[in-house]
Amino acid sequence: MASLQSFSKPVSQNPHITRKPVDHSLSLSLIPRNLAFLGPGLRFIHHGSAKEMKIIRSLKRTEAVTDIFVADYSIQVSDVPLLTCSEAMERLKTNRENQKGTQEFLAMYSSIFGGITTDPSAMVIPIDDHMVHRGHGVFDTAAIRDGYLYELDQHIDRILRSASMAKIGLPFDRESIRKILIQTVSASKCKTGSLRYWLSAGPGDFQLSPSGCNQPALYAIVVQDKSPFSSKGVKVVTSSIPIKPPQFAVMKSVNYLPNVLSKMEAEEKGAFAAIWLDGDGFIAEGPNMNVAFVTKDKELLMPQFDKILSGCTAKRVLALAEGLVKEGKLQAVRVVNVTVEEGKKADEMMLIGSGILVRPIVQWDEQIIGDGKEGPLTQILLNLIIKDMESGPLTVRTPIPN
C-alpha cells in the first residue's frame, strides 16, 4: 500500500455490530417465515419494524444455531425497490456522500468505460469481473509525493510479473499502462497520496474459468489519506493464521483474506501487525509489509524474498542502507534466513512498506525489542527513504504533469 491506512476496530469493538450470547437450546422452528438464505450455513432473519437483521450461522439447516450477529440496517428486505439506472446512480452518489473516513478518492481510470472519472460514486467495478467473484486479479501501488510518483516503474514491473504468474493478459502494452497511470494522477490534482492499480481477467460471466471474459481489465485509483503519519514504535505478535504458499505469496494478488485475518488478529490482541513465519519456521513478513532487524553487531538483516512478496520499498531500503555501511554506521547488509530467536534478540526491529515507510517495532509478543524504544538506525533508514522520495534520482521519481 502506498498511504497510511486507518485501521478499523475489531467486530467486538464496532458499535454497530454486537455479539450476543448464544442460546444453544434455540430451535430453528422459532425462525420467522421471512427467512432468506444467503448461502450454505448462513442465513438472516429480518424483524420488520425493528429494522434489525440477525445473521444466523449453522453447519446444517437442521442443526442448532451456533453463532448470532446482530446489525442495524436502514433497508427492509421486504421492501426492496426496482430502480432505474439513473435512480441507482443517484443512490450510489448519496451513499458515497454519506460515507465518512480519512481517505478521499480523487480519480479513477477504468478500461471498461475507457476513461477517467473524478466522481467517487462512479468509481465502480462490474460484479462479473473475475477479480471480484473469483479473486483473479493482481494489484500494486505507488506513492505520490510532492508531485512525483515514487518507484512507479519498479511497481509496474512487479505488477506485470504478478499478472504473468496469475495468467492474466494485458489490455495494453507496458508503456500505455504507464501513461494511463500518470494521466490518472494528473487528473486527480493530487500532490501527496497514493496510486493503486489492478489488472484483472476482466468481466464476462460467473464461471470458474476466465475463458468467457472478453478481455483483461485495468483499473486505477488515486487516494488521498488524511491520517497523520506516525513513526512511533509499535507492538507486533506472531500470526496464527497460516501464511500463503510461496507460489501465491510472491505475487501481489487480490487474494488477501489471510492478510486481512492476520491483521485483525493483531488488532484484537492490541498490536499493530502480526508477523508470519514460513514453513521452516523462519521469519517471513507482516500482513502487507516486510520486516527487518539490526543485530547487536550492527548488521541489517532482512528475510529472503523467495517465499514472500518482494517489497519495492524494502529493496530500496537495502540499497540506501549500503551507504550506511560505507559511513561505518552499519557493519553489513544481508538478506538471509532469520530465526525467531535471532529476531527477538535484535537491537532493533522494523516494518517496511510503501504506506508506513519504516516503522519501528518495540515489542514482539511478550519480548521487548532492544531497550523498548525506537531504534536510532531505524530512524536513520526512515529519514533516508523520506529524503529519497523528496529528492532522489529520476530512476525512482516520476514527475506528474499539471
Side-chain angles (χ1 to χ4, degrees):
M1 62 184 177
S3 68
L4 286 173
Q5 303 294 315
S6 58
F7 300 106
S8 59
K9 295 180 179 179
V11 169
S12 60
Q13 299 178 21
N14 192 316
H16 301 294
I17 301 179
T18 57
R19 185 187 296 269
K20 289 187 174 181
V22 178
D23 181 1
H24 292 281
S25 64
L26 181 64
S27 169
L28 290 182
S29 63
L30 299 179
I31 295 175
R33 289 179 300 168
N34 56 349
L35 177 73
F37 289 92
L38 298 179
L42 189 63
R43 306 177 255 268
F44 70 74
I45 307 167
H46 172 239
H47 294 273
S49 59
K51 294 185 179 179
E52 181 180 75
M53 291 184 186
K54 289 186 177 180
I55 300 177
I56 299 181
R57 191 183 308 273
S58 63
L59 297 177
K60 297 179 181 179
R61 293 188 187 182
T62 56
E63 290 181 351
V65 176
T66 59
D67 209 357
I68 297 179
F69 294 89
V70 180
D72 188 15
Y73 292 89
S74 60
I75 187 172
Q76 296 196 19
V77 248
S78 58
D79 299 324
V80 178
L82 181 62
L83 304 176
T84 64
C85 180
S86 60
E87 289 172 334
M89 288 303 298
E90 186 60 34
R91 291 196 176 201
L92 282 174
K93 188 175 184 67
T94 300
N95 180 68
R96 179 60 66 184
E97 290 172 349
N98 289 336
Q99 290 186 19
K100 306 297 181 182
T102 60
Q103 293 186 339
E104 291 185 12
F105 310 137
L106 303 182
M108 177 192 176
Y109 169 83
S110 169
S111 63
I112 302 303
F113 52 71
I116 299 168
T117 179
T118 57
D119 184 350
S121 63
M123 298 177 186
V124 295
I125 294 176
I127 197 170
D128 62 334
D129 191 303
H130 275 232
M131 181 172 71
V132 176
H133 65 89
R134 296 299 181 193
H136 197 178
V138 295
F139 77 101
D140 223 300
T141 60
I144 305 167
R145 182 90 174 199
D146 298 331
Y148 286 82
L149 276 159
Y150 186 62
E151 291 199 298
L152 174 64
D153 289 298
Q154 290 83 349
H155 285 279
I156 290 177
D157 288 342
R158 187 170 65 178
I159 195 176
L160 295 183
R161 290 196 302 270
S162 295
S164 176
M165 287 185 282
K167 297 185 177 181
I168 295 173
L170 302 182
F172 314 105
D173 60 34
R174 185 192 188 280
E175 186 56 29
S176 296
I177 292 174
R178 188 178 188 273
K179 288 180 179 178
I180 288 170
L181 297 179
I182 293 173
Q183 289 176 23
T184 303
V185 178
S186 179
S188 75
K189 308 299 182 184
C190 181
K191 297 302 179 183
T192 299
S194 64
L195 170 69
R196 182 178 294 257
Y197 42 99
W198 297 260
L199 285 168
S200 84
D205 54 34
F206 291 96
Q207 301 299 327
L208 185 61
S209 167
S211 58
C213 298
N214 295 323
Q215 61 180 11
L218 169 67
Y219 306 102
I221 190 168
V222 178
V223 180
Q224 190 170 56
D225 199 323
K226 297 182 178 180
S227 303
F229 182 81
S230 176
S231 59
K232 184 179 179 181
V234 295
K235 173 186 174 181
V236 297
V237 294
T238 303
S239 179
S240 67
I241 306 299
I243 190 172
K244 287 182 280 191
Q247 180 181 357
F248 298 103
V250 297
M251 77 170 80
K252 199 172 179 68
S253 78
V254 299
N255 295 295
Y256 255 48
L257 183 56
N259 309 63
V260 170
L261 294 177
S262 180
K263 175 66 176 177
M264 291 177 69
E265 177 184 37
E267 291 175 341
E268 290 164 358
K269 294 181 178 180
F272 181 76
I275 303 299
W276 266 318
L277 307 181
D278 67 21
D280 296 318
F282 292 111
I283 298 168
E285 60 183 341
N288 59 345
M289 57 206 74
N290 292 99
V291 61
F293 305 86
V294 176
T295 69
K296 297 185 183 304
D297 296 327
K298 299 303 179 212
E299 290 186 331
L300 179 67
L301 305 182
M302 192 177 294
Q304 299 186 69
F305 298 118
D306 56 340
K307 298 178 183 178
I308 59 175
L309 186 67
S310 177
C312 293
T313 306
K315 285 187 170 182
R316 189 61 182 162
V317 165
L318 290 172
L320 295 172
E322 292 292 349
L324 299 181
V325 176
K326 295 178 181 178
E327 296 173 11
K329 295 178 181 178
L330 281 174
Q331 293 301 310
V333 175
R334 297 195 294 139
V335 179
V336 294
N337 287 328
V338 183
T339 67
V340 173
E341 182 180 10
E342 289 173 323
K344 290 188 175 182
K345 287 183 178 180
D347 270 2
E348 300 181 38
M349 179 178 179
M350 67 199 80
L351 294 168
I352 302 173
S354 53
I356 58 169
L357 301 183
V358 181
R359 190 76 184 262
I361 296 172
V362 296
Q363 182 177 342
W364 182 1
D365 293 329
E366 303 306 317
Q367 177 68 47
I368 300 298
I369 302 300
D371 60 4
K373 299 178 181 179
E374 294 83 357
L377 285 166
T378 301
Q379 185 64 49
I380 290 173
L381 291 171
L382 171 61
N383 292 339
L384 285 175
I385 278 289
I386 292 175
K387 182 179 179 181
D388 199 49
M389 296 176 78
E390 294 175 343
S391 58
L394 291 180
T395 53
V396 296
R397 297 170 71 240
T398 302
I400 303 166
N402 295 324

